[in-house]
């Protein structure tokens, strides 16, 4: 199904970060002026907002377009309010240990499933690629690449369980441990949505 220009712009900013109007126009195959008109309309709807940043040297300031909170909400967040309420009730009624039990059970199930799906990936590069594919199917809008030093990057541009992770950091810790186990490598989180970054990023090096 053909995506509207607004949806394409939302996805572009979500995956690649804040953008110049001209760059958005180039990507969409339209003029910079047409892109600015579309962005202005989206700004009136509260989906994007311009932020002026100083240019390097003596260049003119540049206007980068960001997603607003409403723009980010266009991407699924796994029944956020219900999830947060359920977690709060679980802790209130059964205590923190019950939540830890739930997280551990989820981690074990996820690790088993990921290992089955990665069973044919026989080196780290193939495992990273396969894991990125799984995470994208799960709604994380994942990407991956290899750095010049031989390490790998796994980037997740969206978090469909952000409400759960905000309510309990144990979900983020659990996912990091799962990545380490299934990849058989050292994995360090270098960017974190819950710490204010626009994405979660993981640097992966052979263990």
């Amino acid at each position: 199904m053909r995506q509207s220009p607004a949806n394409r712009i939302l996805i572009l900013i979500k995956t690649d970060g804040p953008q110049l109007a001209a760059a958005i126009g180039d990507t969409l195959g339209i003029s910079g002026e047409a892109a600015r008109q579309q962005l202005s309309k989206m700004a009136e709807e509260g989906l994007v907002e311009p932020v002026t940043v100083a240019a390097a040297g003596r260049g003119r300031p540049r206007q980068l377009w960001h997603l607003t909170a409403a723009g980010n909400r266009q991407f699924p967040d796994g029944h956020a309010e219900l999830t947060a309420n359920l977690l709060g009730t679980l802790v209130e009624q059964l205590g923190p240990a019950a939540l830890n039990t739930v997280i551990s059970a989820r981690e074990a199930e996820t690790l088993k499933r990921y290992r089955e799906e990665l069973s044919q990936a026989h080196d780290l590069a193939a495992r990273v690629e396969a894991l990125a594919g799984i995470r994208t199917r799960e709604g994380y809008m994942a990407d991956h690449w290899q750095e010049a030093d031989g390490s790998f990057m796994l980037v997740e541009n969206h978090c469909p369980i952000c409400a759960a992770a905000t309510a309990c950091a144990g979900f983020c810790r659990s996912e990091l441990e799962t990545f380490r186990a299934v990849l058989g490598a050292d994995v360090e989180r270098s960017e974190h949505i819950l710490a204010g970054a626009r994405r979660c990023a993981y640097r992966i090096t052979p263990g």
Side-chain angles (χ1 to χ4, degrees):
M1 184 172 63
R2 187 176 178 86
Q3 291 180 328
S4 69
N7 284 340
R8 293 176 66 193
I9 290 172
L10 287 173
I11 293 171
L12 175 63
I13 299 176
K14 182 72 170 174
T15 55
D16 289 355
Q19 300 281 314
L20 294 168
I24 291 173
D26 288 343
T27 300
L28 269 59
I30 60 178
S31 68
E33 181 57 33
R36 277 185 284 273
Q37 290 176 3
Q38 182 64 51
L39 287 163
S40 294
K41 180 180 177 182
M42 293 171 67
E44 291 174 1
E45 296 169 353
L47 299 175
V48 298
E49 61 184 356
V51 175
T52 300
V53 296
R58 297 185 177 181
R60 296 175 58 187
R62 303 187 305 163
Q63 194 173 65
L64 292 174
W65 289 87
H66 295 239
L67 294 186
T68 63
N72 274 299
R73 284 197 296 271
Q74 302 304 303
F75 298 87
D77 192 12
H79 307 291
E81 184 176 355
L82 175 61
T83 301
N85 288 340
L86 285 174
L87 291 175
T89 301
L90 178 66
V91 173
E92 181 181 331
Q93 297 296 321
L94 301 177
L99 181 56
N100 291 334
T101 299
V102 170
I103 292 172
S104 295
R106 177 180 181 270
E107 181 177 335
E109 186 279 329
T110 301
L111 181 57
K112 179 176 181 292
R113 178 164 49 85
Y114 283 9
R115 279 179 167 159
E116 290 173 353
E117 295 203 43
L118 269 64
S119 61
Q120 300 303 311
H122 299 303
D123 60 27
L124 183 56
R127 289 195 294 274
V128 172
E129 180 178 7
L131 181 59
I134 294 170
R135 298 292 283 182
T136 292
R137 292 200 307 272
E138 293 178 348
Y140 290 86
M141 300 176 68
D143 195 6
H144 72 285
W145 62 84
Q146 187 168 17
E147 299 277 57
D149 63 3
S151 65
F152 296 88
M153 292 297 298
L154 173 67
V155 167
E156 296 179 341
N157 294 291
H158 181 59
C159 179
I161 64 162
C162 197
T166 300
C168 177
F171 284 102
C172 293
R173 174 201 54 75
S174 174
E175 288 188 339
L176 187 57
E177 292 303 322
T178 297
F179 290 172
R180 288 169 176 161
V182 77
L183 293 173
D186 292 329
V187 183
E188 298 299 330
R189 185 184 287 114
S190 57
E191 298 178 58
H192 196 191
I193 290 174
L194 295 190
R198 70 171 185 84
R199 63 186 187 178
C200 288
Y202 304 86
R203 181 173 296 277
I204 301 160
T205 54

